[in-house]
C-alpha cells in the first residue's frame, strides 16, 4: 500500500482565500451567450431572456466573478454596438471566431445578468483594434453617475444607477499573433498604462467625492509555451507597474495525445508558472524599490481539447457550436488538481476564472431549446467554491511520486482550508491510477476534531462523461472510513480519486 503524510498546523497559513478565486468567464464565442446564458423564448427563460435553469446551475457552481466579453472576441469588439434598442443594434462579422455577432446581448444585459446570478462583473476592454479612448468611454458609460453624454445614454437605456464595475481587464492575450491588434510588449504596456490612467481618473486622491475603487488587470504572456514567456511580462510591467493591480496568467491543458498521468501532472506545472510569474512581478517592484505588490489574475484556466477537429460549421453563422468539449472523469480530476494549486497559492493569485462557463469548454452544458446539465468538471469546482472558503493552510506533504515528462510528480496533491467555524476542509487528489493511497494528516494545535463528511469523485472508468442522456453519470458521492486518533487523521484514497474531507471541531 502506498502511503503519504501531511502535516498541518493551525498557525501556518498561506492566506485568506479570496472569493474571486472561484471566478469564471463568458465570451461571445459559440453558444456561451446565445443558447447558453441567454435564450429568449426558451421555456426556462425569464422576461429578459436569461435562462433560469442555467442561472440555477451557475449559483450551484458557486461562481463569484465572471469575466466578459472575451477572450479573443474583445479585441475586435465595439461596445457601443451592444447597447440601446435591440432593433437598432448592428449585426457584425466577428473575426476571432468567424461568426456573425447579432449584438442582442451587450454590456447592460451582462451586468443585469450578473446581478441576477449574484456574481461580480469583470469587464474586459478592447486594446486590440481600439485603444484607451474607447476604453475610457466604456468606463464612463458603466460607472459615471449622470450628467455626461455617455452616462445619460446608459440612463436612457434603462439603467439609472451606475453599473459600478470594479474589475477591468486591459485587453486580452495581446502577445498572441492570433490576437487582433497584437502588439510588442513595450507598445502594449504603454497602451495599457494610458487606458488604466483614463479609466482610473479622477482617482480618490484628486476627488472630494467618494469614488469606487477600480482595479486593473494587465495581460501577461498567454501561455508558458510562448517564446516571449517571462520577458513579455517583465517588459509590460516596466511600462505600467504603477497603474495596474494584477498581471493575467492563462493556461489550458489538452488531454489529446497525452497520458492520464501527464494530464494529472499539469497542476504542478501551473504551480511552477505561478511562482515564476510572481517572481517577475516582484523583480519589477524590486527594481523600483517599491513595496507595491502586483498579484496574479489567473483569468483563463481549464482543460481544453485544443487539437480536437471541430465539427464542420458554417462560416459567419450565428452562435455556432464551437469548443463544446465533453469532459471525462480524468478531466475532472485534473480540474480538481488545478483548484488545489490555486488554493495553495492564494496569497498571490487573487483572482481566477475557469474558462469558460457554459457550452464553450464549460462546466455547464445546454441544448438550445432543451435542458442544461453539469459536466464532470462542474463537481470539483462547486465543492472547492463551497468548502474552500477560509484560510488556506501551509502544509508539508511527503508523498510517493511517479516520473512523467522528465519530472517527479507527487502522487498526492493536497490543499487544506481552515473554515470560519474552526473546522478544516481537506482537498485530496490521488493521482495514482492503479493503487489506493493511505494518507495520514497530522493536525497540530487544532484541538479535538472529527471527520464529519467525506465526498468522493471516482469511477472505474476514467473516460466516463456526463451527457444529456446520462447527466449524473459522474457526481460526488459520500465515502467513509476516515478516522482521527491522537490528532492524526487516517484515510485511504481510492485510485484516481478526488476527495473532500470535512473535519469539524469536537465541542
Ligand atoms: O477561452 C477561449 C480562448 O482562449 C479565449 O478567447 C482566448 O483568450 C484564449 O486563447
Amino acid at each position: 500500500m502506498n502511503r503519504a503524510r501531511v502535516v498541518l498546523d493551525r498557525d501556518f497559513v498561506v492566506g485568506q482565500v479570496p472569493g474571486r478565486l472561484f471566478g469564471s468567464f463568458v465570451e461571445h464565442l459559440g453558444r456561451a451567450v446565445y443558447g447558453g446564458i441567454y435564450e429568449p423564448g426558451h421555456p426556462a427563460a425569464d422576461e429578459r431572456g436569461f435562462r433560469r435553469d442555467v442561472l440555477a446551475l451557475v449559483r450551484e457552481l458557486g461562481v463569484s466573478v465572471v469575466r466578459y466579453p472575451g477572450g479573443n472576441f474583445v479585441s475586435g469588439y465595439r461596445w457601443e454596438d451592444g447597447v440601446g434598442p435591440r432593433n437598432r443594434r448592428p449585426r457584425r462579422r466577428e473575426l476571432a471566431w468567424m461568426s456573425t455577432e447579432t449584438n442582442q446581448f451587450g454590456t447592460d444585459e451582462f451586468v443585469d445578468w450578473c446581478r441576477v446570478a449574484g456574481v461580480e462583473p469583470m469587464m474586459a476592454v478592447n486594446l486590440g483594434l481600439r485603444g484607451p479612448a474607447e476604453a475610457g468611454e466604456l468606463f464612463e458609460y458603466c460607472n459615471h453617475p449622470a450628467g455626461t453624454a455617455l452616462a445619460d445614454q446608459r440612463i436612457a437605456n434603462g439603467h439609472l444607477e451606475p453599473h459600478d464595475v470594479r474589475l477591468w481587464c486591459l485587453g486580452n492575450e495581446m502577445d498572441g499573433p492570433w490576437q487582433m491588434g497584437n502588439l510588442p510588449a513595450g507598445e502594449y504596456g504603454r497602451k495599457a498604462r494610458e487606458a488604466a490612467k483614463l479609466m482610473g481618473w479622477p482617482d480618490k486622491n484628486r476627488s472630494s467625492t467618494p469614488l469606487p475603487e477600480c482595479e486593473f488587470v494587465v495581460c501577461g504572456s498567454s501561455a508558458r509555451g510562448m517564446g516571449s514567456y517571462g520577458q513579455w511580462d517583465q517588459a509590460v510591467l516596466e511600462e505600467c507597474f504603477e497603474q495596474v493591480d494584477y498581471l493575467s496568467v492563462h493556461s489550458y491543458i489538452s488531454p489529446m495525445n497525452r497520458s492520464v498521468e501527464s494530464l494529472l501532472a499539469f497542476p504542478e506545472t501551473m504551480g511552477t508558472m505561478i511562482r515564476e510569474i510572481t517572481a517577475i512581478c516582484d523583480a519589477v517592484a524590486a527594481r523600483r524599490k517599491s513595496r507595491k505588490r502586483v498579484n496574479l489574475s489567473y483569468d483563463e484556466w481549464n482543460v481544453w481539447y485544443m487539437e480536437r477537429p471541430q465539427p464542420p460549421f458554417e462560416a459567419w453563422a450565428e452562435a455556432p457550436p464551437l469548443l463544446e468539449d465533453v469532459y471525462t472523469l480524468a478531466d475532472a480530476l485534473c480540474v480538481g488538481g488545478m483548484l488545489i494549486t490555486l488554493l495553495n497559492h492564494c496569497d498571490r493569485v487573487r483572482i481566477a476564472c475557469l474558462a469558460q462557463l457554459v457550452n464553450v469548454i464549460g462546466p455547464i452544458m445546454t441544448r438550445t431549446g432543451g435542458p442544461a446539465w453539469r459536466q464532470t468538471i462542474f463537481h470539483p469546482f462547486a465543492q472547492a467554491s463551497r468548502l474552500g472558503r477560509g484560510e488556506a493552510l501551509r502544509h508539508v506533504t511527503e508523498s510517493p511520486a511517479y516520473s512523467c515528462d522528465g519530472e517527479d510528480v507527487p502522487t498526492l496533491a493536497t490543499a487544506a482550508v481552515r473554515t470560519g467555524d474552526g473546522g478544516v476542509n481537506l482537498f485530496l487528489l490521488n493521482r495514482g491510477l492503479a493503487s489506493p493511497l493511505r494518507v495520514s494528516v497530522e493536525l497540530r494545535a487544532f484541538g479535538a476534531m472529527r471527520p464529519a463528511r467525506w465526498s468522493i469523485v471516482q469511477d472505474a472508468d476514467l473516460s466516463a462523461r456526463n451527457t444529456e442522456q446520462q447527466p449524473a453519470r459522474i457526481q460526488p458521492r459520500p465515502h467513509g472510513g476516515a478516522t482521527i486518533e491522537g490528532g492524526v487523521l487516517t484515510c485511504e484514497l481510492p485510485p484516481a480519486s478526488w476527495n473532500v474531507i470535512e473535519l469539524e471541531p469536537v465541542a
Side-chain angles (χ1 to χ4, degrees), residues 413-441:
T414 316
V417 174
R418 191 154 86 94
T419 61
D421 55 9
V424 172
N425 294 335
L426 297 170
F427 301 89
L428 303 164
L429 173 66
N430 178 7
R431 289 188 260 230
L433 303 187
S435 320
L437 186 63
R438 192 164 186 78
V439 179
S440 62
V441 183

Side-chain angles (χ1 to χ4, degrees), residues 25 27 29 71-72 97 172-173 178 252 300 304 356 361:
F25 174 32
E27 177 167 3
L29 192 185
N72 298 339
W97 303 105
N172 176 70
E173 294 188 348
W178 59 86
Y252 295 100
E300 289 188 33
W304 176 3
Q356 299 195 7
I361 46 174

Side-chain angles (χ1 to χ4, degrees), residues 377-399:
I377 63 169
F378 182 100
H379 297 295
F381 188 100
Q383 290 179 309
S385 176
R386 188 164 57 83
L387 298 168
R389 309 290 181 129
E391 277 179 337
L393 295 171
R394 241 172 247 297
H395 53 85
V396 174
T397 296
E398 291 167 11
S399 164

